[in-house]
Amino acid sequence: MSERRLQFDVVVVGGGTAGVAAAIGAATVGMRTLLIEKNPYFGGAVTHSSVLTFCGFFAQQEPIEQVVGGVGQQLLDNLGKLGIYAGPYRSPRTGNVIVLLDAEATKYALDKTVQDSDVTPRLHCQVIGASVAQNGIREIECYDHNGRFRVEAKAFVDASGEADLSALAGAEVRFGDDEGRVQAGTLVMRIGGVAADADLNRNLFTKAVLEAKRDGEPYLTKQKGMVLRLPGSNDVLAMFADEAVDGLDSASLTEAEMSARRQSWAYLNLFRRVIPGFEHAFLSQTGPSIGIRETRHVLGEYTLRGEDALSGAKQEDGVARGGWPVEIHKPGVPAEYQHIRDKSFYDIPLRALKVRGLDNLWCAGRIISCDPIAFASARVMGTAFATGHAAGVAAAHYAAMKRVDVTSVRAELVRQGAFV
């Protein structure tokens, strides 16, 4: 069998929200763009971990301000055409502004958003190697069930969620915070059979879990979790099953996945017993994969700092906006929040997306160059649309001209409907 070889201008690794935005951004500039995703669908955590909420599209202030547009807005428009999205939802308890989703509609809307562009998609494809020469990635090695093949390109975007491409190419990366600690992973539960008039007041669930834990019931970690009714059904999304997990290590992932599924059944049985309206509830889905919030971070030409995020700092080379508060998850305890000044937004500079030491590699999504506090805000999927879009446009400009001018990148992002 002859070796398979492909050639593109821009290659994007990872088909989550950041990767989809990066690929469409690059293709809209006019570059031949390949989008590689290991799963059978796009979306990353939203579709593969059932995190059916987009955080970060809107700042938390009143009146609500949208801070992410561009490719992200294209997806919202497609969700609207499917009857899923009619506007943001503000939590009456936290004040957070989110977009509620349906898993199958989101998969289909992502497909349509990609297909409406000139992107070449490759699902079921894993990147396993990278060849570097003269301070840049020359080609990557990929694997599917037909074997290995190579892809050559002029520029690359790492939107893998785990900084896989950056690590394979020898870039500087950091695991977790400065001491190697990562935020907790959570296995999302989708619960069916819940009465339409069931009261989803968080205090009911907190009281039930606290009493069960006092009575010695095992396999319950978090007492305060998110409970939301999903659009288009009476199904409930519940986030309680936390795990301390190394998302890079198969042994750790195996232990966490099995433990979290055991937790999910324990929570379900408790809710059936004590929460009115849950008497006939059933577990319609977990995951499929545990939701990993944090593994590797790329070291870029600038490290976005917690002070930048919390002060709402504006940057001359800002190419994306972060409007989600700092949200830190530790196993088994409620999320810790810190709010952006005036509950507004901050700028994310292009330098934080540029991978240090490799001329033709940009990063996007939760792996961008930031300290632990800034990460706790910038990691969310709405913001990932914005950083991905910017990284894709920057990579396209490099592929076309062997240089990147931030003023031109900003202008192109605006032309494509992004907010900068």
Side-chain angles (χ1 to χ4, degrees), residues 52 84 110 115 126 152 180 190 316 387 391 398 402 416:
L52 296 175
I84 296 300
L110 283 161
Q115 289 168 332
Q126 180 82 42
E152 183 179 339
R190 182 166 179 160
E316 288 187 0
T387 58
Y398 183 89
K402 279 279 191 173
Q416 293 188 25

Side-chain angles (χ1 to χ4, degrees), residues 196-234:
D197 60 351
D199 186 353
L200 301 185
N201 187 303
R202 186 184 187 187
N203 292 333
L204 291 174
F205 296 85
T206 299
K207 181 175 182 290
V209 176
L210 279 171
E211 290 179 355
K213 291 178 81 169
R214 277 198 298 267
D215 292 341
E217 184 154 347
Y219 313 134
L220 304 175
T221 53
K222 192 188 306 188
Q223 61 214 37
K224 292 184 178 181
M226 184 177 75
V227 186
L228 288 169
R229 184 85 62 176
L230 292 171
S233 75
N234 284 325

Side-chain angles (χ1 to χ4, degrees), residues 45-65:
V46 65
T47 50
H48 201 59
S49 299
S50 296
V51 184
L52 296 175
T53 56
F54 280 149
C55 305
F57 267 97
F58 301 89
Q60 311 305 291
Q61 63 199 43
E62 185 66 53
I64 294 172
E65 179 181 8

Side-chain angles (χ1 to χ4, degrees), residues 259-339:
S259 173
R261 282 191 286 272
R262 181 173 60 188
Q263 280 199 65
S264 297
W265 280 96
Y267 279 110
L268 175 69
N269 290 330
L270 172 64
F271 299 160
R272 281 170 170 167
R273 291 199 312 270
V274 302
I275 304 294
F278 278 71
E279 294 85 355
H280 304 293
F282 57 90
L283 198 58
S284 58
Q285 186 183 44
T286 59
S289 172
I290 192 169
I292 299 296
R293 291 185 175 89
E294 182 177 17
T295 55
R296 298 187 188 104
H297 303 273
V298 169
L299 299 184
E301 294 180 351
Y302 177 79
T303 297
L304 187 70
R305 303 168 303 164
E307 308 95 90
D308 297 331
L310 292 171
S311 68
K314 305 304 183 283
Q315 310 264 1
E316 288 187 0
D317 64 337
V319 290
R321 293 177 176 178
W324 190 252
V326 169
E327 181 186 5
I328 300 173
H329 288 261
K330 298 176 182 177
V333 298
E336 302 171 10
Y337 283 96
Q338 299 177 52
H339 287 283

Side-chain angles (χ1 to χ4, degrees), residues 33-371:
T33 304
L34 176 68
L35 175 59
I36 295 173
E37 167 56 40
K38 64 183 178 181
N39 290 314
Y41 36 72
F42 298 112
V46 65
T47 50
H48 201 59
S49 299
S50 296
V51 184
L52 296 175
T53 56
F54 280 149
C55 305
F57 267 97
F58 301 89
Q60 311 305 291
Q61 63 199 43
E62 185 66 53
I64 294 172
E65 179 181 8
Q66 186 168 348
V67 296
V68 176
V71 177
Q73 184 61 52
Q74 292 177 36
L75 180 65
L76 294 183
D77 291 343
N78 282 329
L79 287 167
K81 292 172 185 176
L82 295 172
I84 296 300
Y85 176 69
Y89 166 83
R90 185 189 289 274
S91 166
R93 183 183 61 83
T94 65
N96 290 340
V97 183
I98 60 177
V99 175
L100 289 170
L101 301 165
D102 170 82
E104 293 306 317
T106 304
K107 288 178 187 175
Y108 181 57
L110 283 161
D111 283 350
K112 179 163 177 50
T113 307
V114 171
Q115 289 168 332
D116 286 346
S117 73
D118 290 325
V119 170
T120 300
R122 278 289 182 98
L123 299 170
H124 300 278
C125 181
Q126 180 82 42
V127 176
I128 59 174
S131 297
V132 175
Q134 297 178 337
N135 297 322
I137 299 176
R138 183 173 59 86
E139 64 179 16
I140 58 174
E141 186 176 15
C142 303
Y143 177 84
D144 61 18
H145 291 300
N146 230 0
R148 300 183 181 195
F149 62 97
R150 295 181 179 275
V151 185
E152 183 179 339
K154 298 171 183 176
F156 296 82
V157 176
D158 186 347
S160 64
E162 323 303 341
D164 288 340
L165 177 57
S166 300
L168 288 168
E172 296 178 84
V173 296
R174 182 190 79 240
F175 182 82
D177 65 13
D178 295 330
E179 297 181 11
R181 296 169 300 198
V182 296
Q183 289 204 26
T186 303
L187 187 68
V188 179
M189 304 163 59
R190 182 166 179 160
I191 302 173
V194 179
D197 60 351
D199 186 353
L200 301 185
N201 187 303
R202 186 184 187 187
N203 292 333
L204 291 174
F205 296 85
T206 299
K207 181 175 182 290
V209 176
L210 279 171
E211 290 179 355
K213 291 178 81 169
R214 277 198 298 267
D215 292 341
E217 184 154 347
Y219 313 134
L220 304 175
T221 53
K222 192 188 306 188
Q223 61 214 37
K224 292 184 178 181
M226 184 177 75
V227 186
L228 288 169
R229 184 85 62 176
L230 292 171
S233 75
N234 284 325
D235 282 8
V236 167
L237 190 75
M239 298 179 69
F240 285 88
D242 277 1
E243 295 288 339
V245 57
D246 177 351
L248 301 180
D249 181 73
S250 60
S252 179
L253 281 164
T254 300
E255 182 179 358
E257 299 268 15
M258 296 175 75
S259 173
R261 282 191 286 272
R262 181 173 60 188
Q263 280 199 65
S264 297
W265 280 96
Y267 279 110
L268 175 69
N269 290 330
L270 172 64
F271 299 160
R272 281 170 170 167
R273 291 199 312 270
V274 302
I275 304 294
F278 278 71
E279 294 85 355
H280 304 293
F282 57 90
L283 198 58
S284 58
Q285 186 183 44
T286 59
S289 172
I290 192 169
I292 299 296
R293 291 185 175 89
E294 182 177 17
T295 55
R296 298 187 188 104
H297 303 273
V298 169
L299 299 184
E301 294 180 351
Y302 177 79
T303 297
L304 187 70
R305 303 168 303 164
E307 308 95 90
D308 297 331
L310 292 171
S311 68
K314 305 304 183 283
Q315 310 264 1
E316 288 187 0
D317 64 337
V319 290
R321 293 177 176 178
W324 190 252
V326 169
E327 181 186 5
I328 300 173
H329 288 261
K330 298 176 182 177
V333 298
E336 302 171 10
Y337 283 96
Q338 299 177 52
H339 287 283
I340 301 165
R341 178 181 292 169
D342 299 326
K343 296 188 176 181
S344 186
F345 66 89
Y346 56 90
D347 286 343
I348 300 172
L350 185 59
R351 290 165 292 156
L353 312 183
K354 181 68 192 65
V355 179
R356 187 191 304 173
L358 290 167
D359 295 341
N360 65 343
L361 177 60
W362 283 260
C363 61
R366 70 176 187 232
I367 66 171
I368 67 170
S369 183
C370 51
D371 73 11

Side-chain angles (χ1 to χ4, degrees), residues 395-412:
H397 281 206
Y398 183 89
M401 299 176 288
K402 279 279 191 173
R403 62 182 179 83
V404 175
D405 172 68
V406 68
T407 301
S408 298
V409 170
R410 285 167 54 90
E412 177 61 24

